[in-house]
Amino acid sequence: MVAIDDHTVMAMYQSAYSQAQQSGTVQTQWFTPQPQQPVTSPAETPVAVAHRASGVYAVGGAGNDYTLYSVSESKGMRKLVTKSVDSRFTPAFASGLVPCADDGITLFGDMDDEAKGNGYGSQTLALLTRNVKTQELTQNTVTTASGEAQRYVGEESFVYGEQLTWRSEDTHEMIAMSMGGDVEIIDMRTARITDSAEPPQTFDVTFDVGKGQYGIVGAGDFAYMVFMPEGGSNDDAKIYVHRKSDWELVHTIAAQGALNDLLGNRKELYPTVFAANPNMQWN
């Protein structure tokens, strides 16, 4: 489910396999002041949805092959083109709409590599860009400031999205954060990392390092990192407020009472979705 604009939310559901179409199907439903009826279309389950001036688009696929769809209220998903990339690509979790630079829809994720770091293998960060005008599909390795490929040992999950993107006249930068709290700020035009940050939380030393994980949401000019300790940890949950343009920490909110119990998984309730009030301002 993604918010298209202030008055429109679109939901997508994986539907039944169509023998007639020899294809999987996806049901789309738009929630507007005058909601449309659900529309079922032959399509792959989307891994990304983007909103451009020319309309709403979705990208579906896995591995090497990716399909671009246009999406409308009345006609559902319409296939535009399928193209392949050289290296197998695994998309990260997109929180809401995915970011765009110029006419390109940006997918963030990783490519398979053959490195065997510490016996756990490794992943190389990558951007997949689909131009909605030319329909060109490009795959770029995310690189450090020195031009080296950015790798993570083992399997690390990341979150990114349109609301975690900073744009100015000179830059189009997206924020990608791992569940462990590592942050990479990436120029979407060059696929180069412009800044990195380590997790702000110091774990309780009486427990193993890593007793907790992070969630992140964006709203307006700010990003909210939510630290959630695991049940049994003595650490308190916290919300770290960062300014997106320079990643400066502008405020820290310490969770208390029932909120701390919820975010700390102490009541056998585990939060899965976060939202931030876009009207909040931090000076």
Side-chain angles (χ1 to χ4, degrees):
M1 183 174 287
V2 293
I4 303 300
D5 55 39
D6 291 342
H7 307 288
T8 307
V9 173
M10 182 182 66
M12 291 181 159
Y13 311 95
Q14 185 176 7
S15 196
Y17 185 84
S18 170
Q19 293 292 345
Q21 298 283 348
Q22 294 292 296
S23 170
T25 59
V26 174
Q27 187 178 86
T28 56
Q29 185 169 14
W30 296 61
F31 297 94
T32 66
Q34 295 181 331
Q36 295 283 338
Q37 292 297 315
V39 178
T40 300
S41 311
E44 298 171 301
T45 303
V47 296
V49 179
H51 184 204
R52 309 298 296 136
S54 55
V56 177
Y57 298 88
V59 178
N64 296 77
D65 299 323
Y66 288 85
T67 301
L68 178 67
Y69 300 88
S70 65
V71 189
S72 68
E73 295 182 53
S74 58
K75 296 181 180 179
M77 296 178 64
R78 181 173 64 88
K79 180 178 176 179
L80 298 177
V81 65
T82 298
K83 291 193 175 183
S84 301
V85 291
D86 295 331
S87 300
R88 182 177 178 83
F89 178 80
T90 303
F93 175 74
S95 175
L97 296 171
V98 298
C100 300
D102 303 321
D103 294 316
I105 300 172
T106 303
L107 279 71
F108 172 78
D110 67 88
M111 298 184 298
D112 287 348
D113 60 35
E114 299 178 355
K116 301 296 181 182
N118 295 339
Y120 296 100
S122 67
Q123 59 188 116
T124 301
L125 301 187
L127 297 183
L128 212 63
T129 304
R130 169 70 81 179
N131 189 296
V132 299
K133 286 189 175 180
T134 66
Q135 298 184 354
E136 181 182 4
L137 180 65
T138 57
Q139 183 179 32
N140 292 296
T141 301
V142 172
T143 59
T144 63
S146 61
E148 299 177 354
Q150 178 62 65
R151 290 187 173 92
Y152 274 74
V153 174
E155 296 183 3
E156 184 65 87
S157 298
F158 283 83
V159 178
Y160 74 113
E162 167 73 13
Q163 291 299 319
L164 295 171
T165 301
W166 173 257
R167 289 186 183 83
S168 67
E169 183 177 346
D170 301 320
T171 185
H172 284 60
E173 293 179 328
M174 58 169 284
I175 297 166
M177 190 198 74
S178 75
M179 296 299 181
D182 291 311
V183 170
E184 306 290 2
I185 299 177
I186 305 165
D187 188 320
M188 294 187 292
R189 290 170 169 167
T190 64
R192 181 158 291 193
I193 294 173
T194 60
D195 198 5
S196 297
E198 296 181 350
Q201 174 71 26
T202 301
F203 294 96
D204 188 329
V205 295
T206 62
F207 290 84
D208 295 333
V209 173
K211 281 288 186 179
Q213 67 178 29
Y214 287 83
I216 189 169
V217 292
D221 295 334
F222 302 95
Y224 300 84
M225 291 180 66
V226 185
F227 169 68
M228 299 166 289
E230 292 183 5
S233 169
N234 289 333
D235 287 310
D236 291 327
K238 293 184 179 67
I239 301 172
Y240 298 94
V241 184
H242 290 264
R243 190 164 49 229
K244 290 192 295 188
S245 60
D246 55 9
W247 202 247
E248 181 179 347
L249 178 64
V250 297
H251 200 75
T252 300
I253 303 169
Q256 299 177 357
L259 178 60
N260 191 40
D261 290 341
L262 173 64
L263 295 177
N265 195 23
R266 296 183 174 97
K267 297 295 185 180
E268 297 182 354
L269 296 172
Y270 192 78
T272 57
V273 178
F274 301 95
N277 184 340
N279 295 321
M280 287 191 295
Q281 293 295 319
W282 308 91
N283 297 321

